Amino acid sequence: MRNRPLWTVALLMTGSLLAGCGLSAGGAPPLHVKPGSIQPVPELAGVELTVGSKDFSEQLVLAYLAEFALSAAGAKVRDLSNIAGSNSGRDALVTGQVDLMWEYTGTGWISYLGKEDPIPDDAAQFEAVRKEDLARNGIVWSLMAPLNNTYAFAMSRKNAERLGIRTMSELAKLVKEQPQEGTFCLESEFASRNDGMPGVQKTYGFEPAPGNVKLLGIGPIYQAVANGGTCNFGEIFTTDGRVLALDLVVLADDRNFFPRYNASVTLRKETAAAHPQITEVLRPVAAKLTNEVVLKLNAEVDVDGKDPAEVARDWLVREGFVRLP
Amino acid sequence: MSSPVRQAGRLQLFAEPIAVLLIVTAVLVWAFTGELDSIEQRNITFANILTLTWEHLQLTAAISVIVLLAGVPLGVLVSRRWARHIAPLVLGLATIGQAAPAVGVLVLFFLLTGQTGFWIAVLPMALYALLPVLRNTLVGLQQVDRTLVEAGRGIGMSAFTVLRRIEFPLAIPHVLAGMRTALVLAVGVATLAMFVNGGGLGSMIDTGYKLRRTSILVVGAVLAAALALLVDWLGGLAERRLGPKGLR
C-alpha cells in the first residue's frame, strides 16, 4: 500500500489518455484558418462534420481542402483522413463514420457499383454514377472537379527521346514493329481490368510479347519507368507528383480510352439533405481543382516533403478562400 | 500398448492435409460455380490459379533453401566459443531485418538493385525469414549441457566431432522448430512478391481487394493459407522424422 499515490497518478493518467484520444476516431484539423472569400454560413455554425479520405497524398490534400473550407464556413470539422484503402474509406462513408469524402467517378462506377466498362465522357460518367449510387446505396455525388486522376502510360525522358513516342497509337505501332521495345510495368489490378491493359490492347490493337509484361506494385512502377531498364512503359496516375519529380513523359491517350476519374464530393443522402450548404461552400474550391493545380499540390507533398495539411491551407490562402489566423 | 496412441497420432497426421484439401476444394467449387463478370473470369481460371500457386511454391522453396543453407551454418558459427562476442551483433542484424516491414525490405532491395523478378523478391524475403532459424539454431546449441560436450572432448573427440555427434543432434528439435516457423513466414511474405514482379498468389489478393471482387480475393487468400498449413504440416512431419530418436 506504500505505492498508493503512484497508483493513483498512473490511473488518472491512463484515464485522461483514454478520454483524450482512445474512444472516438478522428480529431480536429491540424491547422486553423479564418474566413476569406468563404464566409461563415449561419446554417453550418457548430454543425459537426467528419471528413474522410483514402491514404494517398492527393486524397489527403483534397480532404484538408474541404476541412479548411468548411471550418471557415463555421462548421465543427473532425478530421478522419488517411483511411487505408478505397474500400475501407467507402465503408466508413456508407456506415456514417464519415460525412463527406472525395471520390473518383471511375472508382465509384467500377469498384463500388461493379460495372465492367467505363463511359468515355466526364459528364456522362459522372451522371451515370450519380444516378445509380444514389438509387442503390443512398450516396449523393456532387461537385465534379475538372481534376481527372486517370491512368496513363509514361516513359522516362531518355526513352521518350530515343524512341520518339508521344501518343498511345505510336506506342501500338512500336510494339508491332519492334516487339522487344514494348516492355510494360503494370499493377496486377490494371492487368485484369477492362479499363486497364485488356482494354488498351483491344482499343489500340497491339499485344506485348510474352514475358514483356511485368507486374509490380504502383510505387516500384514509377521508379522502374524512371530507371528505364525493367520496362520502357509503365502504368501511372496522371496527377501523381512523381510524374514531375522523376521527369516522366506521359503518353497522350489519343483514342480517349482511359476511364474518367474526376474527383467529386460524396455524401450520404441524409447529410446532403440536412446540410445543403456543404456543397455550396465547396463549389468554388472544386471548380478550381484542375489536373495542373493538383499535380503541383501533390508534388509539394511527395517531392518537397511538405505536410499535406499545410499544402492545402497555403493554396486556399493563395486563392483567397481563407485567411491565416 | 502403444498402438492406440500411434493410431491417434496417425489420424492427427492426416487430418490436417485432408481438412486443407476439403477447404480448398470447397472454395474452388464456390468460385467456379458463381456468376463471374469479365474481371473475375480473367483471374479465376484453372491455368491462372495453377500458375500462381506454382510460382508461390517456387518462391517458398527458394526462400526455404536459402534460409536453411545460410541460417543453420550461421547459427552454428556464432554459437562457437570464439564467436561469443559477435553473436549479439549477428542476432541484432537479423532482428533489424525482421523488425522492418517485409514490404519495405522488398522495395528497398528493388530500389538498391534497380532490378525486378523472382530473385529480387526471394533474396530480401529470405533475409526476412532468416531470424527464426538463426536464433533457434543458436539457442538450440547453447542449451546443450556443457558436461556432455566436455565428456565428448574427454574421450578424445575433436571439437568438430563433438558438434556433429553430440551438440547438433541435441539441437535439432530447436533448429527444426525454427525452420518450421520460417517456412510458414515464407509462404506469408511470398504474397508480397507481386510488388516486384516476383509472381505468386499475392496478385489475386491485391486485385480482388482493390477491385472489390471478393471471389478473387478469397481464392488467393485461401490458397495461400492452405499452402502455409501444408508447409507447416510438412514441417511437423520433418520434426517427427528427424528429431533425435530418444526424444521422439
Side-chain angles (χ1 to χ4, degrees), chain B residues 20-74:
Chain B
V20 168
L21 202 68
L22 284 178
I23 294 171
V24 168
T25 315
V27 166
L28 287 181
V29 167
W30 167 76
F32 276 98
T33 51
E35 241 180 69
L36 304 179
D37 68 12
S38 59
I39 295 175
E40 288 164 324
Q41 280 167 13
R42 224 166 265 142
N43 281 277
I44 302 180
T45 64
F46 268 115
N48 190 41
I49 291 174
L50 273 181
T51 311
L52 293 179
T53 310
W54 176 236
E55 284 173 357
H56 210 98
L57 269 174
Q58 285 177 306
L59 286 165
T60 311
I63 296 169
S64 312
V65 169
I66 293 176
V67 167
L68 187 68
L69 291 184
V72 176
L74 205 59

Side-chain angles (χ1 to χ4, degrees), chain B residues 153-172:
Chain B
R153 293 309 297 266
I155 59 168
M157 286 181 173
S158 70
F160 182 71
T161 314
V162 171
L163 171 66
R164 190 168 57 87
R165 302 203 38 194
I166 301 173
E167 290 179 89
F168 200 67
L170 287 171
I172 278 232

Side-chain angles (χ1 to χ4, degrees), chain A residues 40 90 235 265 290 311:
Chain A
R90 164 77 176 192
E235 158 221 344
V265 170
T290 59
V311 169

